[in-house]
Amino acid sequence: MNHDTLATRIGDTDIRLLRIFKTVVESGGLTAAEIELNIGKSTISKHISDLELRLKLKLCNRGPAGFSLTEDGEQVLAAAEELLIAVSHFRTEVNEIKEQLAGTIRVSLFDQCASNPEAQLASAIHNFNEAAPAVQIELSLEPPNVIEKMVISGQLDLGIIALHRPSTSLNYVPLYGEDMFLYCGADHPLFATSDAHLRTGDLRRYNYAGVSVNSPNLIVGQQLGFKRAAKVQNEQALAILILSGRYIGFLPDHLAQGFVDRGLMRKILPEETQYRTRFAAATRKQPAPTRVTKLFLEALKSAHSQQEPTVLSGLARG
């Protein structure tokens, strides 16, 4: 047989032509296959010719002397029968999997990723819903320590949290990151103070608001010598405290940008205080994630496949 064929690039058209070829052989010729295929003899003949052209093989003799397979045709018929059986089995199994993809998947996240250009959660949900339309998604925002505990206990199927202090009970898949900057509100004494006249140590005199749980936010605040005068469990609450003009605090740039554009916030010493946080999808190790959870995780990985690679150890300070 000629090895320069479509064997490594079979598509729907080729499968359709192989089905026609198989039907013609089983019917005993082109004329007899007209009724079975519900198409004319000339069209059937053209389909067989197209298949021979695509395979670069002569499959059969057809004419006044009758219909007969060539030696190559017999081998192609045997291979086609195996292929068509495999395709049928594949479709059956996929249909069974689709029927089982039902129920609910419970997902929770901490950061305000809707405005983060690096986060592709919406795209992942779109693709997941297309693949498993019968699965109901429960999406919530929770503090990172709560997410971790709920995933471990099985109350959540998947959590998206900062890669800060990995738990031995969870598996992590890095997804995206965000850049964190220190901000003050328009009514804060630092708002009108030039960074040129500031040092990091000067900032310790002002009220600092930070996330209350063990997180990159907490660690960086401690490293800079800030003492919390207020604590929060989410970034929206932190933004409100900063807007009050009584506190400084860290926010992701994508969340703060709208306030900055309106003249309600500004960055403070961005070169000295900036840090970067990376986020990962966390699933529990035991028992293993369900098929639905694995599918959602694959959708997340695919949607974020163009993001920069990340290792799981430690806080990424920028």
Side-chain angles (χ1 to χ4, degrees):
M1 293 179 63
N2 188 339
H3 292 289
D4 184 18
T5 70
L6 51 73
T8 58
R9 46 188 175 86
I10 294 176
D12 289 344
T13 298
D14 306 303
I15 291 175
R16 181 171 63 86
L17 293 177
L18 288 170
R19 289 188 189 280
I20 292 172
F21 172 60
K22 181 174 179 290
T23 300
V24 170
V25 175
E26 291 174 344
S27 301
L30 278 64
T31 301
E34 285 184 289
I35 298 176
E36 186 70 24
L37 293 170
N38 195 30
I39 53 179
K41 181 178 176 180
S42 60
T43 302
I44 296 174
S45 179
K46 183 179 185 306
H47 287 324
I48 297 299
S49 296
D50 289 344
L51 180 61
E52 290 178 326
L53 182 62
R54 293 172 74 85
L55 292 174
K56 298 181 181 178
L57 293 170
K58 182 175 176 57
L59 302 177
C60 57
N61 300 305
R62 49 197 185 277
F67 177 86
S68 63
L69 285 176
T70 64
E71 183 178 343
D72 286 342
E74 291 178 353
Q75 294 183 57
V76 168
L77 176 64
E81 289 174 340
E82 291 183 6
L83 172 64
L84 295 174
I85 289 173
V87 169
S88 177
H89 285 170
F90 174 77
R91 287 176 175 166
T92 299
E93 291 179 9
V94 168
N95 287 334
E96 288 178 355
I97 291 171
K98 283 184 177 179
E99 290 176 359
Q100 293 171 6
L101 289 179
T104 302
I105 182 166
R106 301 153 301 175
V107 180
S108 190
L109 55 150
F110 167 68
D111 72 316
Q112 305 292 323
C113 70
S115 57
N116 186 348
E118 293 187 33
Q120 302 299 317
L121 181 58
S123 176
I125 290 175
H126 176 97
N127 294 334
F128 173 80
N129 182 252
E130 279 193 339
V135 177
Q136 184 180 50
I137 299 176
E138 290 184 3
L139 187 63
S140 63
L141 291 172
E142 299 288 350
N145 60 323
V146 173
I147 294 175
E148 199 170 62
K149 290 177 182 177
M150 292 179 71
V151 173
I152 292 173
S153 68
Q155 295 172 273
L156 287 173
D157 299 298
L158 184 146
I160 299 177
I161 54 179
L163 281 171
H164 164 59
R165 189 184 54 183
S167 168
T168 56
S169 300
L170 298 173
N171 288 320
Y172 297 84
V173 175
L175 297 177
Y176 58 88
E178 64 183 10
D179 294 315
M180 305 290 293
F181 293 89
L182 190 65
Y183 291 89
C184 68
D187 293 330
H188 195 278
L190 290 174
F191 191 82
T193 304
S194 170
D195 283 349
H197 300 118
L198 285 176
R199 298 292 181 269
T200 305
D202 299 333
L203 305 180
R204 296 169 190 157
R205 301 198 306 265
Y206 299 95
N207 291 338
Y208 171 71
V211 177
S212 60
V213 297
N214 199 325
S215 63
N217 179 282
L218 179 65
I219 296 299
V220 172
Q222 291 174 344
Q223 290 173 345
L224 292 171
F226 297 159
K227 292 183 179 180
R228 283 185 310 188
K231 56 186 179 180
V232 300
Q233 290 195 328
N234 63 68
E235 291 170 338
Q236 289 288 0
L238 187 52
I240 291 172
L241 289 175
I242 296 170
L243 288 168
S244 76
R246 302 299 297 171
Y247 302 89
I248 60 175
F250 285 100
L251 288 175
D253 57 351
H254 59 85
L255 176 60
Q257 191 58 51
F259 300 117
V260 173
D261 292 343
R262 291 155 57 194
L264 300 176
M265 283 187 191
R266 84 165 184 90
K267 295 176 182 177
I268 309 169
L269 294 176
E271 296 299 323
E272 291 87 344
T273 60
Q274 176 193 5
Y275 71 94
R276 183 167 174 79
T277 300
R278 292 290 298 176
F279 289 87
T283 55
R284 60 177 175 171
K285 292 182 178 179
Q286 296 295 334
T290 64
R291 180 182 286 111
V292 169
T293 302
K294 288 179 179 177
L295 180 63
F296 192 87
L297 186 60
E298 285 303 314
L300 284 172
K301 289 165 64 177
S302 177
H304 293 89
S305 61
Q306 301 304 313
Q307 301 294 333
E308 61 185 280
T310 303
V311 294
L312 298 187
S313 58
L315 166 69
R317 279 297 301 277

